[in-house]
Amino acid sequence: MTQQRAADNRPYFFLSYAHTPGYGGGTDPDMWVERLYQDLCGHVMALTDLPAGTPAGFMDREIRSGEGWSERLGDVLATCRVFVPLFSPRYFASEMCGKEWYAFEQRAIHHRARLNRPAEAIVPALWVPVPPSQLPGSAERLQFNHRDFGERYVTDGLYGLIKLRIFAQEYERAVYELAKRIVSVADTVRMETGRPVDYRLAPSAFGSPNSGSGAPRPMRITIAAPTRHDLPDGRLTDYYGDNPQDWNPYHPDSARPLAYVAEELVRSLNYQAVIGSFDEELGRSGGKPPPSAPEILLLDRWALQDEDRRRRLAAFDAEDRPWVTMVVPWNRDDHQSRAAEAELIDKLEATLPKKLSQGRTHCRAAARGVPSMEAFGQILPQVVEVAAQQYLRHATAYPPATGGGHGERTRLTGPMGSTQFIPDTLDRSTEAEDV
């Protein structure tokens, strides 16, 4: 009973907003955001049975002087029920806001993986209207009808409504409707409490500052795993399905195939994921093809028990494709895998020696074995970043079609012959020799 009550007393929402720089006159530029926050808290308290003294929401102004801001943000993002981003052009240019979005989205991904049910607990609000072309993939994918809050809200945003007295009624309506949506989503989704993400190390859900436009970049996810129809003798079928993409190494902790969990994690980093199987793609290609996109290879050690697949994996390793980084999920609770671990490690080391030694420390750790779904979620963003950097180093670059003046962007070949634009100011200083 005590645990249930504590869970029920979690903040209903986290208000994520971009700080506006100060200007002349000493006026606090974020005072209007604080007023919105207080109005939302009042409505949430009226619409729920939260006891007195329990916070209805959270905004970063509540962090006390001397309190560790990173730890505090991480704790609240791991417990709040709904994430409310205040859309504005400045919001999507903010790395800090992208980190907050990413931290909350990780909880939603793990919630969906564990329970295999929807967990859409992001309720966006328009502070200043943003053209659809300026939305990053994480925001563009949200299914949300802003017109439910009023036509004037759509055209002017909450900032316009709160600043102009003639729109006072429209402001009150929009804030009340937003509060109702927050409470409804919180009570419907019932997001599980997560483990705090280290805010200082978290990537941005809006992509790297050096990634050019906000459009999602391509990232391939390739699965090298057997199906339940071609398993080694005696191997349990619990972890497999009719296709390699159905492989679920973290069963029963996860109820979803790993390929689709990885897809969501990759999408949360502002990439467009394309899922395929090694047997159909990499394992059948002749010779070393030029890179068309960065790639993550998810390998089941049990796949090495098939001699034909093992031969093709060895040939792939010999081709030395550094833009393909390897992750080897290894469920520490899979007793059958633990019993065969020594044999399977020997085969892995003999088959893919280059991939095992490639990259930075976290890449080598990912190739040696990722023991849990939680660890997989923590290490995948680092591996994705290395694959993206290596792709930029090895992809064919073409000179600009015209001009060549300052600000032109290099064009790189993308998947299926598409193009990907990379700013010529890309900072390559982060590409260490062991990337």
Side-chain angles (χ1 to χ4, degrees), residues 1-9:
M1 182 65 70
T2 302
Q3 290 181 346
Q4 182 65 35
R5 180 172 298 166
D8 288 345
N9 292 347

Side-chain angles (χ1 to χ4, degrees), residues 85-227:
L86 280 187
F87 282 16
S88 70
R90 191 180 299 279
Y91 184 84
F92 295 111
S94 167
E95 184 180 14
M96 292 181 65
C97 295
K99 286 171 174 279
E100 292 170 356
W101 188 308
Y102 171 83
F104 186 83
E105 182 63 15
Q106 301 318 293
R107 278 178 62 199
I109 291 171
H110 286 285
H111 181 97
R112 287 189 287 269
R114 284 177 52 81
L115 304 178
N116 199 23
R117 67 181 186 219
E120 300 300 332
I122 296 179
V123 177
L126 298 179
W127 185 243
V128 177
V130 181
S133 61
Q134 294 183 16
L135 295 177
S138 51
E140 191 177 25
R141 287 189 295 269
L142 290 177
Q143 301 296 316
F144 195 86
N145 186 5
H146 290 284
R147 296 193 181 280
D148 290 346
F149 297 173
E151 292 295 328
R152 181 63 66 178
Y153 164 79
V154 173
T155 58
D156 290 275
L158 288 165
Y159 178 74
L161 301 185
I162 201 172
K163 287 286 286 183
L164 300 176
R165 293 180 182 176
I166 60 172
F167 298 144
Q169 282 189 320
E170 285 87 346
Y171 169 78
E172 293 295 343
R173 173 194 170 185
V175 176
Y176 178 63
E177 293 295 336
L178 177 58
K180 286 201 302 182
R181 185 68 60 88
I182 290 170
V183 172
S184 174
V185 169
D187 292 344
T188 302
V189 175
R190 298 188 179 277
M191 180 76 74
E192 292 183 324
T193 297
R195 179 170 299 217
V197 172
D198 189 334
Y199 183 81
R200 293 164 297 187
L201 302 178
S204 169
F206 309 149
S208 165
N210 292 322
S211 61
S213 70
R217 301 150 289 168
M219 176 70 64
R220 296 185 183 277
I221 300 172
T222 301
I223 312 299
T227 71

